[in-house]
Amino acid sequence: MSATSPVGGDRYTVISADCHAGADLLDYRPYLESRYHDAFDVWAATYVNPYEDLVADAADQNWNSERRLAELEQDGIVAEVVFPNTIPPFFPSGSLMAPAPGAEDFEHRWAGLRAHNRWLADFCASAPGRRAGVFQILLNDVAAAVKEIRWAAGQPGLKGGLLLPGTPPGSGLPELYSSAYDPIWAVCEELGVVVNHHAGSASPPLGSEPAARAVFMVETTWFSHRALWHLVFGGAFRRHPGLRLVLTEQGSGWIPGVLDMLDYYHGRLLAAATQASTAESKFGAGLAASMGKGPSEVWHDNCFVGASFMRPHEVPLRDRIGLDKIMWGSDYPHDEGTYPYTREGLRIAYAGLPRDEVAAMVGGNAARVYGFDLDLLDPIAAKVGPTVEEVAEPLEEVPKDATSPVFAKGGSVRVW
């Protein structure tokens, strides 16, 4: 069956392009190199988890393989791309949200991420073909990152690819457009490793005042979007035309407008660079040679969006985003995810759309990008997947205890 249209009989084959998992804290210890065990014991003895959901009864959704498979199947999902969630060794918080490490704690944090990667490889291997683990690196040591990428590419459970950290203001790291990261792009292109950039990993610290939380919510996706224009203007895709970038849990409705803006600046700077010396011509100097194709072309050829619980007002933009670019995600097990109302979430977004378009967005594109085997997944979907008829029916009433923003008032307004 074609990887662009996963429909098992009268049901959709749903692959979540955005789920999260991680080990319970002490279960990371066997995956650490033994020379870090004493330091881990000291750290773990005093560590206080800052996240209520990671100490609640539902915390084992992150590592209980059987529970996870059962709940996802109950929700109509047959496979998942697995981003991190719990606290790796030596981190102050979840690795998506932790600031870039300084020189004094880089060694221990790097050991902690390698432990997570090895745990994740085993966790995904425990459900063959059902999970694509996204492994982690740090950018402080590019050579070490390249070595980890080569190791991870050989692990069947880690076919979700690389999680690219952000370089927020104040991190002390070179910006993502820097050629310092070329060895990373080169090895990912060589080995066919997808580069993922998830929301939350690029925001600078904002402090603890009440307003900081609101500002974080407003700005966090924007800071994540920056990876797109950094890599485009930095020429990463010109030097490595086989590189693939996925932007996950950052929304999708912003993409057409941002591409228009980037195309505008690209054209404006290229034109200015051909003129006599002016203040603006200096901004475009060297851009054409270093960058190559325009931003919209790069998006078309190299980029995808992990459109977690795609909102109805974003759906009319699907052709401008690219039907072959959109990969729906449930964000399980997060409170803002669609579980246990994924069927309702699909209905509120996709009711009335052509069957082949829905099939591509809810699973076919993810199967193609992450290498899921639909011959394995379609028979499972034929038993547990949402029916085509069900998803086609508009949702009249939102479940009262639903917590996903896809159901939020105003978040489900469809603009045609």
Side-chain angles (χ1 to χ4, degrees), residues 183-205:
I184 293 175
W185 317 142
V187 71
C188 287
E189 179 185 36
E190 174 196 342
L191 300 176
V193 172
V194 177
V195 175
N196 304 276
H197 195 54
H198 193 284
S201 63
S203 299

mmCIF file of all heavy atoms in Angstrom, residues 183-205:
data_model
loop_
_atom_site.group_PDB
_atom_site.id
_atom_site.type_symbol
_atom_site.label_atom_id
_atom_site.label_comp_id
_atom_site.label_asym_id
_atom_site.label_seq_id
_atom_site.Cartn_x
_atom_site.Cartn_y
_atom_site.Cartn_z
ATOM 1 N N PRO A 183 29.000 19.742 10.106
ATOM 2 C CA PRO A 183 29.185 18.292 10.264
ATOM 3 C C PRO A 183 27.922 17.568 10.693
ATOM 4 O O PRO A 183 27.704 16.409 10.325
ATOM 5 C CB PRO A 183 30.281 18.200 11.337
ATOM 6 C CG PRO A 183 31.060 19.478 11.192
ATOM 7 C CD PRO A 183 30.024 20.504 10.869
ATOM 8 N N ILE A 184 27.057 18.238 11.475
ATOM 9 C CA ILE A 184 25.786 17.626 11.883
ATOM 10 C C ILE A 184 24.861 17.487 10.687
ATOM 11 O O ILE A 184 24.283 16.419 10.444
ATOM 12 C CB ILE A 184 25.134 18.456 13.000
ATOM 13 C CG1 ILE A 184 25.975 18.372 14.274
ATOM 14 C CG2 ILE A 184 23.698 17.994 13.265
ATOM 15 C CD1 ILE A 184 25.493 19.249 15.402
ATOM 16 N N TRP A 185 24.715 18.554 9.889
ATOM 17 C CA TRP A 185 23.849 18.474 8.707
ATOM 18 C C TRP A 185 24.392 17.428 7.731
ATOM 19 O O TRP A 185 23.609 16.694 7.114
ATOM 20 C CB TRP A 185 23.739 19.823 8.008
ATOM 21 C CG TRP A 185 23.551 21.029 8.874
ATOM 22 C CD1 TRP A 185 24.105 22.255 8.683
ATOM 23 C CD2 TRP A 185 22.736 21.171 10.047
ATOM 24 N NE1 TRP A 185 23.718 23.141 9.656
ATOM 25 C CE2 TRP A 185 22.869 22.494 10.512
ATOM 26 C CE3 TRP A 185 21.909 20.293 10.755
ATOM 27 C CZ2 TRP A 185 22.216 22.972 11.637
ATOM 28 C CZ3 TRP A 185 21.262 20.756 11.886
ATOM 29 C CH2 TRP A 185 21.399 22.070 12.323
ATOM 30 N N ALA A 186 25.705 17.358 7.609
ATOM 31 C CA ALA A 186 26.306 16.425 6.646
ATOM 32 C C ALA A 186 26.027 14.974 7.026
ATOM 33 O O ALA A 186 25.657 14.158 6.169
ATOM 34 C CB ALA A 186 27.817 16.671 6.550
ATOM 35 N N VAL A 187 26.185 14.639 8.297
ATOM 36 C CA VAL A 187 25.981 13.242 8.688
ATOM 37 C C VAL A 187 24.494 12.893 8.648
ATOM 38 O O VAL A 187 24.127 11.749 8.313
ATOM 39 C CB VAL A 187 26.603 12.953 10.073
ATOM 40 C CG1 VAL A 187 25.824 13.602 11.208
ATOM 41 C CG2 VAL A 187 26.726 11.455 10.306
ATOM 42 N N CYS A 188 23.611 13.851 8.955
ATOM 43 C CA CYS A 188 22.176 13.581 8.857
ATOM 44 C C CYS A 188 21.771 13.346 7.403
ATOM 45 O O CYS A 188 20.975 12.439 7.112
ATOM 46 C CB CYS A 188 21.372 14.733 9.457
ATOM 47 S SG CYS A 188 21.438 14.805 11.271
ATOM 48 N N GLU A 189 22.323 14.133 6.492
ATOM 49 C CA GLU A 189 22.043 13.907 5.067
ATOM 50 C C GLU A 189 22.600 12.560 4.614
ATOM 51 O O GLU A 189 21.907 11.784 3.944
ATOM 52 C CB GLU A 189 22.652 15.025 4.231
ATOM 53 C CG GLU A 189 22.408 14.840 2.729
ATOM 54 C CD GLU A 189 23.113 15.887 1.890
ATOM 55 O OE1 GLU A 189 24.240 16.285 2.259
ATOM 56 O OE2 GLU A 189 22.555 16.292 0.862
ATOM 57 N N GLU A 190 23.814 12.261 5.008
ATOM 58 C CA GLU A 190 24.458 11.005 4.610
ATOM 59 C C GLU A 190 23.655 9.788 5.054
ATOM 60 O O GLU A 190 23.477 8.828 4.278
ATOM 61 C CB GLU A 190 25.866 10.950 5.213
ATOM 62 C CG GLU A 190 26.585 9.621 4.999
ATOM 63 C CD GLU A 190 27.790 9.442 5.907
ATOM 64 O OE1 GLU A 190 28.287 10.461 6.465
ATOM 65 O OE2 GLU A 190 28.244 8.289 6.078
ATOM 66 N N LEU A 191 23.159 9.811 6.287
ATOM 67 C CA LEU A 191 22.500 8.644 6.875
ATOM 68 C C LEU A 191 20.979 8.689 6.777
ATOM 69 O O LEU A 191 20.305 7.776 7.253
ATOM 70 C CB LEU A 191 22.923 8.506 8.339
ATOM 71 C CG LEU A 191 24.429 8.325 8.582
ATOM 72 C CD1 LEU A 191 24.726 8.306 10.073
ATOM 73 C CD2 LEU A 191 24.940 7.057 7.910
ATOM 74 N N GLY A 192 20.444 9.757 6.167
ATOM 75 C CA GLY A 192 18.996 9.872 6.047
ATOM 76 C C GLY A 192 18.295 10.132 7.363
ATOM 77 O O GLY A 192 17.144 9.743 7.544
ATOM 78 N N VAL A 193 18.972 10.800 8.288
ATOM 79 C CA VAL A 193 18.413 11.094 9.609
ATOM 80 C C VAL A 193 17.594 12.380 9.546
ATOM 81 O O VAL A 193 18.095 13.431 9.135
ATOM 82 C CB VAL A 193 19.533 11.224 10.656
ATOM 83 C CG1 VAL A 193 18.987 11.728 11.994
ATOM 84 C CG2 VAL A 193 20.253 9.893 10.837
ATOM 85 N N VAL A 194 16.336 12.298 9.958
ATOM 86 C CA VAL A 194 15.468 13.479 10.004
ATOM 87 C C VAL A 194 15.901 14.396 11.145
ATOM 88 O O VAL A 194 16.220 13.926 12.244
ATOM 89 C CB VAL A 194 13.996 13.054 10.208
ATOM 90 C CG1 VAL A 194 13.092 14.274 10.322
ATOM 91 C CG2 VAL A 194 13.547 12.149 9.067
ATOM 92 N N VAL A 195 15.912 15.707 10.893
ATOM 93 C CA VAL A 195 16.193 16.696 11.932
ATOM 94 C C VAL A 195 14.860 17.272 12.396
ATOM 95 O O VAL A 195 14.104 17.852 11.614
ATOM 96 C CB VAL A 195 17.102 17.813 11.405
ATOM 97 C CG1 VAL A 195 17.286 18.908 12.467
ATOM 98 C CG2 VAL A 195 18.456 17.247 10.988
ATOM 99 N N ASN A 196 14.545 17.088 13.693
ATOM 100 C CA ASN A 196 13.302 17.584 14.285
ATOM 101 C C ASN A 196 13.601 18.758 15.208
ATOM 102 O O ASN A 196 14.580 18.742 15.956
ATOM 103 C CB ASN A 196 12.626 16.493 15.121
ATOM 104 C CG ASN A 196 12.358 15.224 14.350
ATOM 105 O OD1 ASN A 196 11.354 15.097 13.662
ATOM 106 N ND2 ASN A 196 13.278 14.244 14.446
ATOM 107 N N HIS A 197 12.712 19.742 15.172
ATOM 108 C CA HIS A 197 12.839 20.867 16.101
ATOM 109 C C HIS A 197 11.484 21.057 16.768
ATOM 110 O O HIS A 197 10.491 21.370 16.099
ATOM 111 C CB HIS A 197 13.259 22.133 15.358
ATOM 112 C CG HIS A 197 13.743 23.237 16.247
ATOM 113 N ND1 HIS A 197 14.749 23.072 17.170
ATOM 114 C CD2 HIS A 197 13.368 24.537 16.350
ATOM 115 C CE1 HIS A 197 14.977 24.216 17.799
ATOM 116 N NE2 HIS A 197 14.141 25.112 17.323
ATOM 117 N N HIS A 198 11.425 20.824 18.065
ATOM 118 C CA HIS A 198 10.163 20.814 18.816
ATOM 119 C C HIS A 198 9.996 22.103 19.607
ATOM 120 O O HIS A 198 10.964 22.664 20.107
ATOM 121 C CB HIS A 198 10.152 19.614 19.773
ATOM 122 C CG HIS A 198 8.826 19.303 20.364
ATOM 123 N ND1 HIS A 198 8.273 20.050 21.383
ATOM 124 C CD2 HIS A 198 7.934 18.315 20.091
ATOM 125 C CE1 HIS A 198 7.099 19.541 21.705
ATOM 126 N NE2 HIS A 198 6.866 18.484 20.944
ATOM 127 N N ALA A 199 8.770 22.566 19.705
ATOM 128 C CA ALA A 199 8.496 23.775 20.488
ATOM 129 C C ALA A 199 8.962 23.605 21.924
ATOM 130 O O ALA A 199 8.908 22.512 22.487
ATOM 131 C CB ALA A 199 7.009 24.086 20.466
ATOM 132 N N GLY A 200 9.430 24.700 22.507
ATOM 133 C CA GLY A 200 9.853 24.702 23.898
ATOM 134 C C GLY A 200 11.349 24.584 24.085
ATOM 135 O O GLY A 200 11.858 24.838 25.178
ATOM 136 N N SER A 201 12.062 24.194 23.013
ATOM 137 C CA SER A 201 13.493 23.930 23.172
ATOM 138 C C SER A 201 14.357 25.120 22.791
ATOM 139 O O SER A 201 15.584 25.004 22.784
ATOM 140 C CB SER A 201 13.897 22.726 22.320
ATOM 141 O OG SER A 201 13.686 22.990 20.942
ATOM 142 N N ALA A 202 13.753 26.259 22.464
ATOM 143 C CA ALA A 202 14.564 27.383 21.984
ATOM 144 C C ALA A 202 14.272 28.690 22.700
ATOM 145 O O ALA A 202 14.818 29.722 22.340
ATOM 146 C CB ALA A 202 14.350 27.567 20.479
ATOM 147 N N SER A 203 13.414 28.654 23.706
ATOM 148 C CA SER A 203 13.030 29.888 24.389
ATOM 149 C C SER A 203 14.055 30.274 25.447
ATOM 150 O O SER A 203 14.551 29.410 26.177
ATOM 151 C CB SER A 203 11.665 29.721 25.055
ATOM 152 O OG SER A 203 10.675 29.431 24.110
ATOM 153 N N PRO A 204 14.359 31.556 25.558
ATOM 154 C CA PRO A 204 15.265 31.994 26.626
ATOM 155 C C PRO A 204 14.536 32.013 27.957
ATOM 156 O O PRO A 204 13.304 32.067 28.001
ATOM 157 C CB PRO A 204 15.635 33.417 26.185
ATOM 158 C CG PRO A 204 14.441 33.880 25.423
ATOM 159 C CD PRO A 204 13.907 32.667 24.715
ATOM 160 N N PRO A 205 15.269 31.968 29.078
ATOM 161 C CA PRO A 205 14.630 32.070 30.393
ATOM 162 C C PRO A 205 13.996 33.447 30.559
ATOM 163 O O PRO A 205 14.584 34.460 30.185
ATOM 164 C CB PRO A 205 15.782 31.850 31.376
ATOM 165 C CG PRO A 205 17.025 32.158 30.594
ATOM 166 C CD PRO A 205 16.729 31.802 29.177
#
